[in-house]
């Protein structure tokens, strides 16, 4: 089906929506009919998920559920994030308000299959890299990345469910790969209890903060960008966990503990180790994904080719990653290029004062006390 046909069909689906009686649901239906929501369905890679025909009753039920999630969320503790957007505290973690309906919805509607792979990260820990690598390993076609942004390789699952329309994940080709920032304890039971696998990529907190800080400057509607927050202020919020999916320490520890008790379920990777020895880590990923490299692939240099094509140096120079924006479904215009800053280990040294670094390290040590998790650039 051509892209134009798909968009046309979606338009018909949206405009033929019957408006139900509940005023709040009506409001959502009107919102769905807006241009912005049509744009939301315009990602050509996953659009089929929104294309499954649904009855009027199904659509109304989905809208009502979405409205109920929003009502539930409106009673949760509220704070501003270092991204200067509303955050809600849910099960011990801070989530951007706009994403929480997706998380609540996943608890009811996500049914993983044993072959599903979840790529989990705390934001700004190397998600883009992990997505590119998992896609290249899964498809054995790293060259597709020359024209496909890594974020178009696997749906960001909570974002996918955050709108008033449920996607149909059964249309995605198997084995499916999903990306998520959801902490382990907040994942739906269906993910934790099923034999599906999780790859977690962890990054040293100081570098994570610096990356988060730079990225947050571009996380706004272009016409409504607030004054950038000074870094010391942003760090204070980060330390309190007031950053999307924060606090970072508990996020990392939960996945670390699961990887120790269930190594077949959770593979725990570190950004710094991946930088130091990408080939070894690509092999670990492939084994864990059930797709180890054959002798022939090893001889043909497949591992090195995947590493090369997924490297920061290569991906950041590709046109597809340099132009365009994403995040329209969240009212944002995030430049595709903003996922590629410099990809360095230890870049915090350029941005944090000694005092700031000591403070962050002290928190890290206190939180990691009695845990065997360590960071490679300590
Ligand atoms: P996300 O969680 O919003 O998807 P994520 O990809 O985790 O973002 O974070 C971006 C970081 O990964 C950036 O780090 P920096 O700010 O310290 O530079 C980005 O440069 C880095 N990054 C992106 N692609 C790669 C890559 N191929 N190799 C290594 N690092 C990368």
């Amino acid at each position: 089906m051509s892209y134009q046909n798909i968009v046309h069909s979606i338009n018909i689906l949206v405009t033929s929506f019957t408006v139900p009686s509940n005023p709040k649901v009506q409001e959502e239906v009107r919102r769905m009919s807006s241009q912005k929501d049509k744009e939301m369905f315009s990602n050509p890679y996953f659009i089929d998920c929104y294309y499954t025909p649904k009855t009027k009753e199904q659509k109304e039920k989905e809208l009502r559920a979405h409205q109920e999630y929003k009502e539930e969320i409106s009673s949760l503790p509220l704070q501003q994030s270092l991204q200067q957007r509303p955050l809600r505290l849910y099960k011990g973690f801070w989530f951007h308000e706009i994403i929480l309906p997706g998380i609540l919805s996943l608890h009811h509607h996500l049914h993983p299959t044993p072959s599903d792979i979840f790529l989990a990260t705390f934001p700004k820990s190397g998600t883009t890299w992990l997505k590119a690598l998992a896609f290249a390993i899964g498809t054995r076609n790293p060259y597709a990345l020359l024209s496909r942004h890594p974020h178009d390789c696997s749906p960001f699952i909570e974002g996918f469910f955050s709108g008033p329309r449920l996607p149909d994940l059964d249309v995605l080709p198997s084995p499916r790969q999903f990306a998520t920032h959801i902490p382990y304890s907040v994942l739906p039971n269906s993910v934790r209890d099923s034999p599906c696998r999780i790859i977690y990529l962890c990054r040293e907190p100081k570098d994570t903060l610096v990356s988060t800080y730079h990225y947050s400057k571009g996380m706004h509607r272009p016409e409504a960008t607030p004054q950038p927050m000074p870094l010391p202020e942003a760090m204070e919020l980060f330390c309190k966990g007031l950053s999307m999916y924060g606090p970072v320490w508990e996020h990392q520890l939960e996945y670390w503990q699961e990887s120790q008790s269930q190594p077949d379920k959770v593979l725990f990777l570190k950004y710094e180790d991946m930088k130091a020895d990408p080939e070894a880590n690509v092999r670990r990923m492939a084994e864990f994904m059930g797709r180890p490299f054959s002798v022939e692939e090893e001889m043909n240099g497949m591992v090195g080719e995947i590493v090369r094509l997924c490297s920061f140096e290569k991906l950041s120079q590709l046109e597809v990653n340099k132009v365009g924006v994403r995040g329209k479904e969240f009212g944002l215009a995030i430049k595709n290029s903003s996922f590629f800053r410099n990809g360095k280990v230890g870049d915090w040294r350029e941005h944090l004062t000694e005092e700031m670094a000591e403070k962050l390290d002290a928190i890290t040590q206190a939180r990691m006390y009695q845990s065997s998790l360590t960071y490679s650039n300590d």
Side-chain angles (χ1 to χ4, degrees), residues 152-209:
D152 288 332
C153 291
S154 41
F156 170 48
I157 195 77
E158 57 267 38
F160 225 44
F161 278 78
S162 65
R165 188 78 161 274
L166 286 180
D168 176 6
L169 302 180
D170 291 341
V171 304
L172 293 173
S174 179
R176 303 179 299 186
Q177 292 183 1
F178 301 114
T180 186
H181 292 313
I182 303 176
Y184 189 83
S185 61
V186 187
L187 284 175
N189 288 340
S190 63
V191 177
R192 288 184 292 171
D193 298 341
S194 100
C196 66
R197 279 158 289 175
I198 301 171
I199 304 178
Y200 185 78
L201 180 56
C202 167
R203 191 174 192 188
E204 196 278 328
K206 297 192 291 306
D207 276 342
T208 307
L209 162 67

Side-chain angles (χ1 to χ4, degrees), residues 121-129 151 181 203 207 210-211 214-215 244 271 275 310-312 315 338-344 347:
T121 46
F122 185 83
K124 316 323 291 179
S125 301
T127 322
T128 313
W129 192 16
H151 282 283
H181 292 313
R203 191 174 192 188
D207 276 342
V210 168
S211 186
H214 286 287
Y215 177 79
M244 47 186 176
Y271 184 92
K275 280 293 232 186
C310 295
S311 68
F312 178 87
L315 290 181
S338 65
F339 295 94
F340 305 91
R341 193 175 60 91
N342 63 25
K344 284 188 189 157
D347 186 51

Side-chain angles (χ1 to χ4, degrees), residues 78-87 94 96 226 229 237 242-243:
L78 176 68
Q79 289 279 354
Q80 280 289 103
S81 69
L82 78 80
Q83 291 84 11
Q84 302 181 56
R85 297 176 69 81
L87 282 175
W94 290 97
H96 276 158
M229 183 182 287
L237 296 181
L242 295 173
S243 172

Side-chain angles (χ1 to χ4, degrees), residues 317-366:
Q317 292 310 309
L318 296 173
E319 192 67 7
V320 66
N321 298 330
K322 279 165 92 172
V323 299
V325 291
R326 59 181 57 242
K328 285 174 194 157
E329 64 272 37
F330 305 117
L332 303 170
I334 302 167
K335 289 183 186 154
N336 279 329
S337 59
S338 65
F339 295 94
F340 305 91
R341 193 175 60 91
N342 63 25
K344 284 188 189 157
V345 172
D347 186 51
W348 60 267
R349 290 189 175 85
E350 307 295 322
H351 302 276
L352 304 183
T353 62
E354 215 170 292
E355 195 185 334
M356 288 163 92
E358 274 171 14
K359 179 169 179 184
L360 260 173
D361 283 342
I363 296 174
T364 300
Q365 268 172 23

Side-chain angles (χ1 to χ4, degrees), residues 234-284:
M235 187 182 116
E236 287 304 313
L237 296 181
F238 189 80
C239 292
K240 290 181 189 156
L242 295 173
S243 172
M244 47 186 176
Y245 301 86
V248 65
W249 298 277
E250 277 66 25
H251 200 288
Q252 296 179 345
L253 267 177
E254 284 189 353
Y255 279 100
W256 171 251
Q257 279 154 5
E258 286 311 313
S259 75
Q260 300 301 290
S261 59
Q262 298 192 75
D264 295 337
K265 173 79 182 169
V266 180
L267 174 68
F268 194 94
L269 300 173
K270 295 179 186 172
Y271 184 92
E272 299 75 26
D273 293 349
M274 303 259 295
K275 280 293 232 186
D277 192 348
E279 293 206 2
N281 283 288
V282 163
R283 288 193 185 91
R284 283 181 76 195

